[in-house]
Amino acid sequence: MKTVFSFMKPYKLGAIIAFLLMLVELAVELLLPFFLGKMIDDGVQNGDLNNIVMWGSIMIGLAFLSFISGIINSFYASHVSWGFAHDIRERLFRKIQEFSFANLNRFPASRLMTLFTNDVRQIQNTIFMGLRIMMKAPLIALGGVIMAFVVNPRLAIIFLITVPLLIGFLLWVLKKASNMFDRVQKSIDNVNRVMQENLAGMRLIKAFFRRDFEGERFTDANTNLRDNTRFTFRFIEASMPILLFVMNLSIIAILWFGNSQVIAGTTEVGDIVAIVNYAMRVAMAISMFSFIIMAVSRTKASAERISEVLVEEIDLLDSEDADSEQLVIQGKVEFKNVSFYYPTAKEPVLQNLTFTVNPGEKLAIIGATGAGKTSLFQLIPRLYDVTDGEILMDDKPITSYKLETLRKAIGYVPQSPLLFSGPIVENISWGKEHATEEEIIQAAKNAQIHDTIMDLPYQYQTHVGQKGVNLSGGQKQRISIARALIRKPKILMLDDSTSALDLATEARLLDAIQDDLNTLLIITQKVSTAMNADRILLLDEGKILTIGTHEELLQQSNLYQKIVESQFGKEYLNVH
Ligand code: TTP
Ligand code: MG
């Protein structure tokens, strides 16, 4: 909470000005009934026209002052609330950019989306309304009671009974509502999550004909949201008639007692008009309380959710002794007894890995699905940190490099290629700031995608839809390879990135990238790809089963023989 509202600091002055102007409006609102009473008693009752004109002019003047204050207040209130929202969105965005993979695992995308849309707006609205009218309501309630005492203490006694009663009742409503809003917020999250998964997986859902199932999932979440919200709002709205009923009773009481006092000559008519007027203003203010309660409890929930992200500790940073001068020159990678657990997992995914990849060497990593190949890759650019052991780059621990230096030396093509919506040229040059046209074309040529691009309607300017919808899987893979190649990385890491390519294209690609490269790590399921590498690492259930050339593995490993047999047939084994 505190973290979030510290973003108000730059807007303190604006908020104070808005607050002061609101006090002007408040003062006018409290003075008007008083003057109205005076006008009735001194002017109307005595038939004194001068008096009526005088009080009338004062009231019009005050109303105008309040009107002007209201306009300027509104100006500052929106300046403060929009500025605040802008700053906090900016901060959230930067914070999320810093998130490591482990941080991201703790905050699903749907939840982060809700922060930017729902939660920030909620706080922003509350600040605006707060500076405009919300803070005024309790002050009017209080001021109205005080002014009623100034006008006529004997009649105002009635307020002393009704107002505490109402406030006690409202506090009770507030407490109840707070829990209910937590539930509403969770339902909103849920709807967003289902919606987002659906949009992302629309094609899969159609392909599997899971429309009805997904429809039900959405209906559940949506109905849940409706029911929770409806219940909460009904509960709060139900408090309204109770409030008004009590307030109306007190107005009747004022008229009743006032009447007998006027007859007895102890009270003037103007006093009664003024006090009834105050009673109505107090009632209005108090009835606004339920609206305020809703806003405050929702805002509290929103602010807490935002702070959770803001205070989240980034668990993967440059280490303190990282040397900013130190660069990756050769591209030698060495694993020393590396073990790794995912933060939430109990079982290790990788156990005691020890191997070295020399500069310029091509190492293929092969292994069953779930063996831990992708996990192994993610440790090298420090997307996760090792749990045990050490990884060296050019004989120095990877933690001794700046993250930026380390990652810039690596061209990582992830298993599922992700393209950004925008022209192809931007998707390729995304890998390197200020890439020249020649560099882009060269990278595309090496990735064996240049010819395909030239056949597209707008060539390099062709737009890739969101997530690259209008390209084939293999085309997307090659564009994401080009994106990695353009950095001229010391180490290129391909995570099954040639899976959708035919053998000839794949061979040409591997051939083309050979010249530029220092070191190549390639995860593959295909023996044909693996056997072109200098050495093959066979990973099985997070452990290195064996490492060596294709021939050596054929000799040494039963598992490798089985893999080869499944892809090349039995005869191949007999021949070799
Ligand atoms: P991976 O390292 O993804 O296995 P893999 O790349 O060898 O498999 P594939 O050929 O199918 O790509 O996963 C190893 C285990 O780690 C698996 O049980 C899932 C788990 N895992 C996580 O818990 N979180 C993650 O982010 C990843 C990538 C894997
Ligand atoms: Mg994988």
Side-chain angles (χ1 to χ4, degrees):
M1 282 284 269
K2 247 169 69 204
T3 346
V4 171
F5 287 101
S6 66
F7 283 84
M8 281 292 280
K9 248 184 220 145
Y11 303 100
K12 222 171 21 200
L13 184 66
I16 290 173
I17 295 176
F19 182 74
L20 291 178
L21 288 166
M22 187 208 72
L23 288 184
V24 173
E25 283 184 277
L26 172 81
V28 171
E29 198 160 320
L30 289 176
L31 283 174
L32 282 183
F34 182 74
F35 291 144
L36 181 69
K38 282 262 179 267
M39 186 167 88
I40 290 173
D41 290 343
D42 302 353
V44 180
Q45 296 265 53
N46 306 334
D48 182 346
L49 195 64
N50 281 343
N51 223 314
I52 296 179
V53 171
M54 184 190 76
W55 287 119
S57 317
I58 292 178
M59 282 163 69
I60 292 173
L62 284 177
F64 188 69
L65 177 69
S66 158
F67 169 69
I68 298 291
S69 308
I71 291 177
I72 306 178
N73 165 286
S74 179
F75 172 84
Y76 277 102
S78 53
H79 165 73
V80 170
S81 59
W82 279 95
F84 168 88
H86 167 271
D87 293 359
I88 210 153
R89 271 197 293 264
E90 199 72 26
R91 189 62 223 288
L92 271 173
F93 188 79
R94 300 215 176 288
K95 179 80 183 197
I96 295 167
Q97 298 272 306
E98 285 175 26
F99 269 16
S100 72
F101 277 38
N103 289 125
L104 285 171
N105 288 345
R106 279 195 287 278
F107 292 93
S110 56
R111 195 157 141 209
L112 294 176
M113 279 301 290
T114 329
L115 291 186
F116 282 91
T117 51
N118 179 61
D119 291 328
V120 172
R121 198 174 46 220
Q122 180 64 45
I123 303 181
Q124 176 188 354
N125 283 347
T126 305
I127 291 176
F128 180 79
M129 295 304 278
L131 290 172
R132 251 335 264 129
I133 49 173
M134 267 168 23
M135 282 203 273
K136 204 157 68 176
L139 294 178
I140 285 190
L142 182 71
V145 174
I146 293 173
M147 284 303 287
F149 271 94
V150 172
V151 172
N152 189 321
R154 267 190 301 166
L155 280 179
I157 293 269
I158 293 167
F159 283 123
L160 286 191
I161 304 164
T162 48
V163 171
L165 210 73
L166 289 178
I167 289 178
F169 174 67
L170 275 164
L171 285 180
W172 177 77
V173 175
L174 173 73
K175 226 178 116 197
K176 287 261 166 211
S178 174
N179 292 337
M180 291 185 196
F181 274 114
D182 280 353
R183 234 173 303 149
V184 169
Q185 204 56 55
K186 291 216 174 80
S187 317
I188 294 178
D189 264 2
N190 233 356
V191 168
N192 281 347
R193 189 174 48 79
V194 175
M195 197 57 222
Q196 215 191 16
E197 281 176 13
N198 258 275
L199 290 178
M202 194 50 95
R203 284 174 184 72
L204 188 71
I205 293 163
K206 285 197 187 301
F208 273 69
F209 219 81
R210 295 293 274 172
R211 210 171 59 190
D212 293 344
F213 173 77
E214 286 297 316
E216 264 169 46
R217 222 157 67 97
F218 184 74
T219 307
D220 281 351
N222 198 20
T223 310
N224 201 286
L225 173 62
R226 182 195 62 196
D227 293 347
N228 274 336
T229 316
R230 199 159 56 182
F231 184 74
T232 309
F233 277 76
R234 277 191 183 155
F235 174 76
I236 288 170
E237 276 156 13
S239 65
M240 277 287 289
I242 298 179
L243 286 178
L244 289 178
F245 179 69
V246 174
M247 262 349 263
N248 284 333
L249 276 187
S250 57
I251 289 176
I252 291 171
I254 290 166
L255 290 174
W256 178 274
F257 289 118
N259 190 29
S260 47
Q261 285 177 16
V262 169
I263 290 170
T266 49
T267 298
E268 298 200 65
V269 179
D271 286 0
I272 297 177
V273 173
I275 289 196
V276 168
N277 206 309
Y278 282 125
M280 291 202 300
R281 279 170 204 267
V282 171
M284 287 259 284
I286 291 182
S287 69
M288 260 188 61
F289 279 16
S290 63
F291 160 72
I292 296 174
I293 291 168
M294 285 198 260
V296 169
S297 46
R298 298 182 82 162
T299 303
K300 201 173 127 230
S302 291
E304 269 160 16
R305 289 143 53 88
I306 290 177
S307 345
E308 263 177 46
V309 171
L310 292 181
V311 302
E312 169 82 358
E313 243 173 78
I314 306 298
D315 54 11
L316 208 154
L317 292 166
D318 278 331
S319 45
E320 271 164 31
D321 47 2
D323 181 355
S324 50
E325 305 289 306
Q326 182 175 301
L327 296 175
V328 179
I329 310 285
Q330 298 175 292
K332 177 179 174 194
V333 184
E334 188 175 353
F335 275 56
K336 271 186 169 170
N337 234 339
V338 169
S339 295
F340 175 61
Y341 288 73
Y342 279 103
T344 47
K346 295 206 168 56
E347 299 271 302
V349 241
L350 298 171
Q351 285 179 55
N352 297 324
L353 304 190
T354 303
F355 65 93
T356 307
V357 193
N358 289 313
E361 195 182 11
K362 280 199 277 178
L363 178 78
I365 298 169
I366 199 165
T369 150
K373 305 182 294 295
T374 300
S375 309
L376 185 159
F377 260 26
Q378 288 179 341
L379 296 180
I380 299 173
R382 287 189 69 203
L383 299 176
Y384 288 99
D385 269 336
V386 299
T387 319
D388 248 323
E390 195 174 35
I391 300 175
L392 306 180
M393 178 78 72
D394 288 359
D395 300 316
K396 296 176 200 98
I398 50 173
T399 48
S400 69
Y401 293 88
K402 285 268 185 201
L403 274 175
E404 187 183 345
T405 322
L406 180 71
R407 290 181 187 168
K408 277 199 167 153
I410 295 171
Y412 181 23
V413 184
Q415 193 161 10
S416 39
L418 176 85
L419 301 184
F420 295 96
S421 50
I424 288 180
V425 58
E426 273 176 24
N427 266 291
I428 298 179
S429 65
W430 194 84
K432 185 184 175 191
E433 275 171 90
H434 316 300
T436 64
E437 202 180 321
E438 288 85 68
E439 284 177 311
I440 294 170
I441 292 176
Q442 193 55 49
K445 279 188 173 157
N446 288 348
Q448 309 300 313
I449 188 71
H450 175 74
D451 293 342
T452 317
I453 294 174
M454 294 312 277
D455 285 341
L456 291 172
Y458 303 100
Q459 286 144 11
Y460 278 87
Q461 295 303 328
T462 309
H463 269 254
V464 184
Q466 212 173 12
K467 293 201 171 171
V469 177
N470 44 17
L471 293 174
S472 79
Q475 288 164 347
K476 276 191 272 178
Q477 280 187 339
R478 278 174 284 160
I479 290 178
S480 56
I481 292 175
R483 179 168 66 196
L485 285 180
I486 201 166
R487 326 185 89 165
K488 297 230 166 22
K490 300 289 174 196
I491 298 163
L492 181 67
M493 310 201 322
L494 305 179
D495 190 345
D496 217 5
S497 312
T498 54
S499 61
L501 304 191
D502 58 82
L503 288 181
T505 313
E506 184 185 37
R508 262 184 284 132
L509 187 147
L510 292 176
D511 217 39
I513 61 183
Q514 194 125 39
D515 320 331
D516 277 347
L517 274 186
N518 285 338
T519 306
L520 174 69
L521 299 177
I522 177 167
I523 292 178
T524 179
Q525 306 279 2
K526 294 186 273 188
V527 176
S528 57
T529 313
M531 58 194 274
N532 285 322
D534 300 317
R535 278 188 305 158
I536 301 170
L537 187 159
L538 180 58
L539 198 66
D540 189 41
E541 295 184 358
K543 295 189 204 98
I544 297 179
L545 219 52
T546 156
I547 180 166
T549 61
H550 173 66
E551 282 73 25
E552 285 167 358
L553 260 64
L554 267 182
Q555 304 292 323
Q556 293 164 7
S557 164
N558 266 337
L559 180 63
Y560 191 69
Q561 284 171 8
K562 276 199 196 120
I563 299 173
V564 172
E565 187 186 324
S566 70
Q567 294 186 17
F568 289 172
K570 241 191 164 58
E571 300 83 66
Y572 182 91
L573 283 185
N574 294 336
V575 175
H576 289 82

